[in-house]
Amino acid sequence: MGCVSSSSTSSPRLSKRTPGYEDPAVLAAETSFTVNEVEALFELYKKLSFSIYRDGLIHKEQFRLALFGDSKGADLFADRVFDLFDLKRNGVIEFGEFVRSLSVFHPKAPVSDKTAFAFKLYDLRGTGYIEKEEIREMVMAILDEANLRLSDFAVEEIIDNTFNQADSNGDGMIDPKEWEEFVKKNPACLRNMSLPYLEDITTAFPSFVMYSGVEDCSGLK
């Protein structure tokens, strides 16, 4: 996975007139961030939103570049995370959306918020349930993104073990309550839902990098 850097020779120009700009004090009151952290995130947002296009908005290509260092091609994991960050469903991520969505990954964010975000990540069809095929698609995407090569048997074992544990009533679907109980029994599922650097963003400015494990939720060692 990659990180983003600004390739422009001039400094990005974002201001309070930028589409989607919101007062840092308001965003801090609604998220796990402090005002100073929100202001630091604005600097990060400027780098991301000017990495390819120069309109002060984060497009999907820029999001892929931030996640994986590659703006081309489709990637299920990156596209799914982008869709969840794009709260207005208008094809771009505005500053307020960026802060509110990234807040879920703050170490101090409620576990319930992390659990709900992880559920939506796997609920690819947006039906309110996770089906086995959706887990298979996401696992394969994550393995591909991480350049991991497992045997078909190992992949199916991960998928079957995860689904069988989570689908407690055996109806072939995982509902939000079942997912919540599954995560409680397998807290490692949320290990990658916390980015420690977000607590120190004002003193150690990071690149935006997200990681997602596969075996953390499978119960396999």
Side-chain angles (χ1 to χ4, degrees):
M1 301 178 72
C3 59
V4 69
S5 61
S6 178
S7 59
S8 174
T9 56
S10 60
S11 299
R13 295 180 179 178
L14 264 68
S15 69
K16 294 180 180 179
R17 294 187 296 275
T18 298
Y21 179 88
E22 297 184 42
D23 190 316
V26 173
L27 290 171
E30 296 179 2
T31 66
S32 298
F33 296 113
T34 65
V35 173
N36 287 341
E37 288 169 340
V38 173
E39 291 174 345
L41 285 173
F42 187 56
E43 297 303 314
L44 174 58
Y45 180 85
K46 285 193 291 186
K47 286 188 176 183
L48 289 176
S49 62
F50 277 77
S51 59
I52 298 177
Y53 305 105
R54 302 184 60 82
D55 58 1
L57 299 166
I58 297 177
H59 297 254
K60 187 166 289 187
E61 295 89 343
Q62 292 162 304
F63 199 71
R64 292 195 193 108
L65 180 63
L67 286 175
F68 308 118
D70 183 3
S71 63
K72 299 179 180 179
D75 182 282
L76 178 62
F77 176 67
D79 289 350
R80 185 60 184 151
V81 176
F82 179 90
D83 290 342
L84 294 179
F85 272 55
D86 179 17
L87 301 175
K88 293 183 180 179
R89 301 291 186 267
N90 60 355
V92 293
I93 299 173
E94 299 176 358
F95 178 59
E97 294 174 309
F98 180 71
V99 175
R100 288 187 174 88
S101 298
L102 196 56
S103 178
V104 175
F105 294 87
H106 195 288
K108 294 181 180 178
V111 172
S112 59
D113 290 351
K114 297 178 184 294
T115 301
F117 188 96
F119 181 87
K120 292 177 183 177
L121 188 65
Y122 282 89
D123 180 18
L124 299 176
R125 320 284 190 261
T127 60
Y129 298 91
I130 300 173
E131 299 182 7
K132 193 170 187 177
E133 183 57 30
E134 291 173 312
I135 290 182
R136 178 178 287 103
E137 289 181 40
M138 185 58 70
V139 166
M140 295 301 296
I142 292 172
L143 288 172
D144 183 64
E145 176 269 319
N147 290 318
L148 293 177
R149 296 292 179 265
L150 300 180
S151 67
D152 292 342
F153 176 81
V155 171
E156 289 304 317
E157 188 177 13
I158 290 172
I159 296 168
D160 290 343
N161 194 61
T162 301
F163 195 83
N164 292 337
Q165 284 188 61
D167 182 22
S168 57
N169 64 10
D171 65 351
M173 298 181 294
I174 302 170
D175 61 39
K177 184 63 177 178
E178 288 176 316
W179 179 257
E180 181 180 349
E181 292 302 316
F182 173 68
V183 168
K184 286 180 180 178
K185 295 176 182 177
N186 299 273
C189 287
L190 299 183
R191 180 176 64 85
N192 295 303
M193 289 297 299
S194 291
L195 301 178
Y197 73 64
L198 292 178
E199 286 189 301
D200 198 31
I201 193 169
T202 55
T203 58
F205 189 72
S207 296
F208 177 40
V209 180
M210 289 178 55
Y211 299 93
S212 181
V214 173
E215 296 184 356
D216 290 332
C217 281
S218 69
L220 298 176
K221 304 298 181 180

